[in-house]
Amino acid sequence: MRSSSLGYPRIGGQREWKKNLEAFWAGKRSKTDFLQEQKSLRLSYLQKQQQLGLDLIPVGDFSDYDHVLDTAVAFGIVPERFAYAGGKVEEETYFAIARGTDDAVAAEMTKWFNTNYHYIVPELTASREPALVDNRWLRLYEEAKSELGINGKPVLLGPVSFVKLAKQYGNKSFSEHVQTLVPLYGQVLAELAQAGAPLIQVDEPILAGDVTEAEWAVVEETYQSLAKLAPNAKLLLQTYFESVADYNRFIQLPVAGLGFDFVAGKEETFQNLRVNGFPNDKLLALGVIDGRNIWRTDLTAVNAELKEVLQVVERERLILQPSSSLLHVPVTVQSEEKIADELKEAIAFADEKIIEIVSLAKVVNGHEPPSLLEASKHALGRLNASEARNNQSVQQEVAQISSEDPSRGLDAPTRAKLQAAKLKLPLLPTTTIGSFPQTKEIRKKRLDWRKGKLDSAGYETFINAEIDRWIAIQEQLGLDVLVHGEFERTDMVEFFGEKLGGFQFTTYGWVQSYGSRCVKPPIIYGDVYFKQPMTVKETVYAQSKTDKPVKGMLTGPVTIYNWSFPRADITEGEAVNQIALALRKEVLALEKHGIGVIQVDEPALREGLPLKRAKWQSYLDQSVTAFQLTVNQVKPETQIHTHMCYSDFQDIIEAIDGLDADVISIEMSRSHGELISSFEEYTYNKGIGLGVYDIHSPRVPAKEEIARNIERALNVLHPKQFWVNPDCGLKTRQEPETVAALKVMVEAAKEARQTLETKTI
Ligand code: GLN
Ligand code: ZN
């Protein structure tokens, strides 16, 4: 049996990769130096994996930005607006596609399946035929071999997934787009085989989602063609993030090996192995270590399961590996000095996961005794027995949920009347999503305060002064529902995680989110509980400065969960409910202090949707319940808002409705009316704000644009339910453009209001 991995983090333990990219972009580093540093990072990652004892080391997974973009440019797939004339795509063009230039907007970026990694969406146009302009996989395979003597396993994104993830224009069908690429992939694979690659990992993650009959046909045709074009290439067809959609069809594909995620969707895969067996001429690669979460694996348990697998497939045909690329976890827990031993010992980042794989393989191969695996079980056992995971009061509260009615009691129309009487808002009320520009000065003050250079009183005075300033600005603009501005927050999850019980923060636990942008998700390691009010001070302060209602602002339970590394020892439902119950205390504290409008943001709700539709409902039910539990104990006259930053929610509109929020704000300006049309079919009767301008660009919108957006919305929504607000929070914007844009927005709203009022008279 061999040990293997699907990909290694790119960013480096100290984010060296990010720093290199940003220095190059800023013109502070020459291209030669930049490329040299990328190379040395790349080689150091390979060397690390070699030293850790991995048999099959992935090569070509390293990227200067994103692996989907790498695939596109290797085939000369460059959007027309970047003036590309063929040949190998230069770094400058590569980064221009990813980041945009003054003359050409960047390619879109979107979530990589249900992870927090974002890829660059390829644009398949009819104007230029793809061509193999750079066999990067061969280049990187040869590099590993000549520089380090590593006979690596090249990693490619397969043609079917590539096309499925791309935007397809023109009149070519899905199948035609794939067919165009097949000879090019054939050439890549043949050249790799010729160079001596022992195994080539071809990722087809879409096979773990819902696959249509037509798509299966394309998959079969594609791999039959590739088998002919590159008869000597040994392909390992790799899936992840779920069990494969059709096991029996999958195992018949003409490839040398098949890779399964043996963490997500494990039950189905295990069941399939037992019932349907496994072909006796193929390699079986099992992703037994979770590539997406940070817990150590109970290796004794996995070893026991492997005994059963070994009855189906003999040892020589088995490959052990993580369930997905290790891109989704930080580099090593060894650098973390602030985490208590009990917790630290139960954590495995990328390097520790590779060690787990290697140890397990040694034991299965009989080179080490099974006792080697016991430490993992003990470490997890200690953490499970810890006080943090056995908080009686949290567990009792969660246990009581089932006997609780999660609804608000009174229905939405009745609540709306009570709220109208209390808040006395005009038609088409105006508001914002929560944050105002986080200036350099604000970030600097926070850093000073964190470092002890500024005391808490000084920091608070500063924050209050910002709040004062922005309350005044909002009043002057004539907004109807104000916000305090979120100046005290770093990001939406960290701020709450630091104040709730049960969260651990890391020092170097970064993972790539997109390009050079990294995030440091907190670790939910214990039962989550409310310690002290988190947002009350600033909100109440802001409210004391104005007669207009100030909207309280917190991040919802689903978003906090989805943007953290969650526990693996309790169910998702239980973990989300724990957060909900803790946040409920915050909501009630705000209400008690006189805050009559409270927004619970859930921007991550949609992205958490399972890959298979069959699993959507239970996720949505669980998410809706958690949201309801967060807000269901407020009085009916307290107005609950929520916010989501996406517009493609046609599919989940019922769940959105089920949240039963009095007002929801969502993005619209980039959705070209698709969202509007969904309201033609679905009757939504609560308050709703469809963002009337795009906050992602510094551009100040024209009044006519906003007026048009309002008008469009009013074609499908009742004036009494419509709110006027920007698409999302304004923290990334500059102050002058923000004020200017809001001014236009408020004016447009007032004009629309007048028109409506004259109509009704
Ligand atoms: N209230 C948050 C803000 O305005 C919402 C951000 C988000 O939806 N991502 O910044
Ligand atoms: Zn948003």
Side-chain angles (χ1 to χ4, degrees), residues 433-435 486 492 553 563 599 601 603 643-645 728-731:
I433 305 305
S435 59
E486 301 181 27
M492 304 184 61
M553 192 64 55
W563 287 350
Q599 177 171 311
D601 291 325
H643 165 73
M644 298 177 181
C645 359
C728 191
L730 298 159
K731 64 170 163 254

Side-chain angles (χ1 to χ4, degrees), residues 40-184:
S40 72
L41 287 172
R42 187 161 65 228
L43 293 177
S44 72
Y45 302 164
L46 295 176
Q47 212 162 15
K48 172 90 87 53
Q49 296 175 79
Q50 185 181 38
Q51 280 158 3
L52 293 174
L54 209 55
D55 296 321
L56 287 164
I57 298 173
V59 294
D61 58 313
F62 182 90
S63 175
D64 289 336
Y65 199 97
D66 162 50
H67 54 273
V68 182
L69 179 58
D70 292 337
T71 312
V73 300
F75 297 121
I77 299 169
V78 175
E80 234 164 296
R81 59 190 180 280
F82 296 99
Y84 161 69
K88 182 171 181 290
V89 176
E90 289 297 318
E91 270 67 28
E92 289 78 359
T93 309
Y94 176 89
F95 289 129
I97 303 170
R99 308 177 64 227
T101 63
D102 289 344
D103 309 318
V105 289
E108 251 177 58
M109 116 187 139
T110 195
K111 293 248 165 199
W112 176 246
F113 300 92
N114 57 355
T115 73
N116 284 327
Y117 175 81
H118 302 71
Y119 71 92
I120 300 291
V121 182
E123 297 171 23
L124 303 178
T125 43
S127 62
R128 175 190 286 277
E129 280 295 291
L132 180 61
V133 298
D134 174 30
N135 188 345
R136 66 182 301 278
W137 300 278
L138 180 65
R139 192 159 44 77
L140 295 167
Y141 170 78
E142 300 279 21
E143 179 188 77
K145 202 181 223 178
S146 63
E147 302 272 345
L148 301 168
I150 289 176
N151 190 10
K153 173 188 67 167
V155 176
L156 288 76
L157 176 58
V160 189
S161 294
F162 177 77
V163 173
K164 184 84 194 261
L165 296 174
K167 271 189 160 181
Q168 299 156 44
Y169 301 97
N171 40 20
K172 264 194 193 175
S173 66
F174 176 75
S175 147
E176 284 163 346
H177 277 298
V178 178
Q179 273 166 25
T180 311
L181 289 171
V182 163
L184 312 181

Side-chain angles (χ1 to χ4, degrees), residues 373-679:
L373 308 179
E374 276 162 19
S376 61
K377 182 163 136 184
H378 295 318
L380 290 168
R382 275 193 299 275
L383 184 60
N384 286 339
S386 69
E387 234 173 88
R389 287 195 170 182
N390 295 278
N391 185 321
Q392 292 308 314
S393 65
V394 172
Q395 294 181 2
Q396 274 161 16
E397 277 179 63
V398 173
Q400 277 160 15
I401 289 173
S402 50
S403 56
E404 192 181 306
D405 173 9
S407 78
R408 293 262 317 258
L410 289 183
D411 62 16
T414 315
R415 297 196 310 262
K417 283 194 195 108
L418 295 169
Q419 290 161 17
K422 186 181 163 206
L423 296 168
K424 303 198 176 55
L425 296 170
L427 263 184
L428 310 181
T430 52
T431 190
T432 62
I433 305 305
S435 59
F436 285 127
Q438 284 259 338
T439 57
K440 264 204 185 108
E441 193 194 2
I442 296 175
R443 285 199 298 265
K444 173 151 192 318
K445 290 276 192 239
R446 182 161 45 240
L447 206 65
D448 286 352
W449 169 64
R450 290 205 173 205
K451 286 185 174 159
K453 282 196 227 157
L454 176 67
D455 63 7
S456 292
Y459 181 58
E460 193 177 320
T461 309
F462 171 77
I463 295 288
N464 285 351
E466 282 297 294
I467 295 177
D468 286 342
R469 221 162 57 74
W470 275 94
I471 290 288
I473 295 175
Q474 294 174 83
E475 286 203 320
Q476 201 171 15
L477 286 168
L479 283 154
D480 299 305
V481 173
L482 315 192
V483 295
H484 78 282
E486 301 181 27
F487 305 109
E488 74 290 2
R489 301 185 190 176
T490 41
D491 82 60
M492 304 184 61
V493 173
E494 185 177 62
F495 178 80
F496 292 93
E498 281 179 340
K499 292 189 158 53
L500 291 166
F503 285 77
Q504 172 72 50
F505 287 82
T506 61
T507 313
Y508 301 104
W510 300 97
V511 292
Q512 188 188 359
S513 171
Y514 63 88
S516 68
R517 188 173 156 93
C518 303
V519 292
K520 214 164 51 161
I523 298 170
I524 305 178
Y525 75 98
D527 292 330
V528 174
Y529 62 98
F530 176 87
K531 289 198 219 162
Q532 82 278 79
M534 301 175 276
T535 65
V536 174
K537 195 173 67 188
E538 291 82 6
T539 318
V540 168
Y541 179 78
Q543 184 65 83
S544 75
K545 297 284 166 171
T546 176
D547 295 331
K548 297 263 179 85
V550 170
K551 180 163 66 165
M553 192 64 55
L554 50 143
T555 307
V558 182
T559 298
I560 292 186
Y561 180 88
N562 284 349
W563 287 350
S564 302
F565 286 120
R567 283 167 68 175
D569 62 309
I570 58 173
T571 63
E572 213 174 286
E574 197 177 336
V576 176
N577 285 342
Q578 285 188 0
I579 307 172
L581 294 183
L583 294 175
R584 169 197 280 184
K585 295 183 178 142
E586 182 70 15
V587 170
L588 291 173
L590 283 168
E591 183 184 58
K592 193 174 128 210
H593 285 87
I595 304 302
V597 184
I598 301 170
Q599 177 171 311
V600 178
D601 291 325
E602 283 292 18
L605 192 145
R606 192 184 196 289
E607 72 191 37
L609 274 179
L611 298 178
K612 291 200 170 89
R613 252 176 202 266
K615 298 187 178 179
W616 279 19
Q617 202 52 49
S618 67
Y619 167 81
L620 289 170
D621 288 347
Q622 163 188 305
S623 303
V624 169
T625 305
F627 183 89
Q628 288 185 303
L629 289 172
T630 309
V631 300
N632 69 349
Q633 292 195 350
V634 297
K635 299 188 201 108
E637 52 268 38
T638 297
Q639 188 169 69
I640 296 295
H641 289 221
T642 188
H643 165 73
M644 298 177 181
C645 359
Y646 46 77
S647 48
D648 50 342
F649 76 155
Q650 292 84 323
D651 292 343
I652 57 165
I653 198 157
E654 268 172 62
I656 304 275
D657 205 358
L659 298 175
D660 198 26
D662 299 305
V663 181
I664 181 172
S665 60
I666 40 186
E667 176 183 314
M668 180 187 78
S669 46
R670 287 188 302 178
S671 78
H672 313 295
E674 292 144 32
L675 179 61
I676 297 273
S677 51
S678 65
F679 288 108

Side-chain angles (χ1 to χ4, degrees), residues 719-735:
K720 279 203 171 147
Q721 69 181 137
F722 193 66
W723 284 64
V724 176
N725 52 257
D727 259 354
C728 191
L730 298 159
K731 64 170 163 254
T732 55
R733 296 270 62 90
Q734 306 285 320
E735 180 167 330

Side-chain angles (χ1 to χ4, degrees), residues 426-430 703 710 714 719 724 745-761:
L427 263 184
L428 310 181
T430 52
K703 198 165 31 175
I710 296 177
L714 290 180
V724 176
M745 182 188 92
V746 173
E747 279 166 14
K750 282 191 177 154
E751 285 176 16
R753 198 178 285 160
Q754 261 169 8
T755 318
L756 285 171
E757 277 158 2
T758 26
K759 259 196 221 155
T760 41
I761 290 168

Side-chain angles (χ1 to χ4, degrees), residues 127-328:
S127 62
R128 175 190 286 277
E129 280 295 291
L132 180 61
V133 298
D134 174 30
N135 188 345
R136 66 182 301 278
W137 300 278
L138 180 65
R139 192 159 44 77
L140 295 167
Y141 170 78
E142 300 279 21
E143 179 188 77
K145 202 181 223 178
S146 63
E147 302 272 345
L148 301 168
I150 289 176
N151 190 10
K153 173 188 67 167
V155 176
L156 288 76
L157 176 58
V160 189
S161 294
F162 177 77
V163 173
K164 184 84 194 261
L165 296 174
K167 271 189 160 181
Q168 299 156 44
Y169 301 97
N171 40 20
K172 264 194 193 175
S173 66
F174 176 75
S175 147
E176 284 163 346
H177 277 298
V178 178
Q179 273 166 25
T180 311
L181 289 171
V182 163
L184 312 181
Y185 269 88
Q187 190 184 340
V188 169
L189 298 171
E191 288 176 9
L192 283 169
Q194 173 71 25
L199 198 60
I200 303 164
Q201 174 188 322
V202 181
D203 290 355
E204 286 289 8
I206 65 145
L207 297 181
D210 293 320
V211 186
T212 64
E213 178 55 40
E215 287 164 348
W216 267 117
V218 173
V219 171
E220 283 160 351
E221 208 183 313
T222 299
Y223 286 90
Q224 276 148 16
S225 306
L226 290 175
K228 285 193 200 108
L229 291 166
N232 297 324
K234 288 184 119 190
L235 305 194
L236 173 67
L237 199 56
Q238 184 64 50
T239 58
Y240 35 81
F241 303 149
E242 254 296 349
S243 59
V244 285
D246 186 337
Y247 181 86
N248 285 318
R249 234 164 150 165
F250 183 64
I251 60 173
Q252 283 171 40
L253 292 169
V255 289
L258 299 164
F260 297 86
D261 187 323
F262 214 54
V263 175
K266 169 166 132 186
E267 291 314 317
E268 290 114 350
T269 306
F270 218 161
Q271 188 62 11
N272 274 316
L273 278 171
R274 285 184 190 119
V275 176
N276 300 308
F278 191 76
N280 56 20
D281 58 347
K282 285 187 169 67
L283 299 168
L284 172 62
L286 279 189
V288 292
I289 304 282
D290 195 343
R292 293 184 49 181
N293 207 343
I294 48 82
W295 302 109
R296 255 174 107 163
T297 305
D298 179 348
L299 295 176
T300 52
V302 176
N303 192 29
E305 285 165 355
L306 285 177
K307 294 222 160 75
E308 208 183 318
V309 174
L310 287 167
Q311 289 171 3
V312 186
V313 180
E314 63 276 20
R315 200 163 72 189
E316 290 63 35
R317 285 198 286 131
L318 209 56
I319 296 173
L320 288 188
Q321 56 189 24
S323 61
S324 67
S325 166
L326 298 173
L327 182 69
H328 309 290

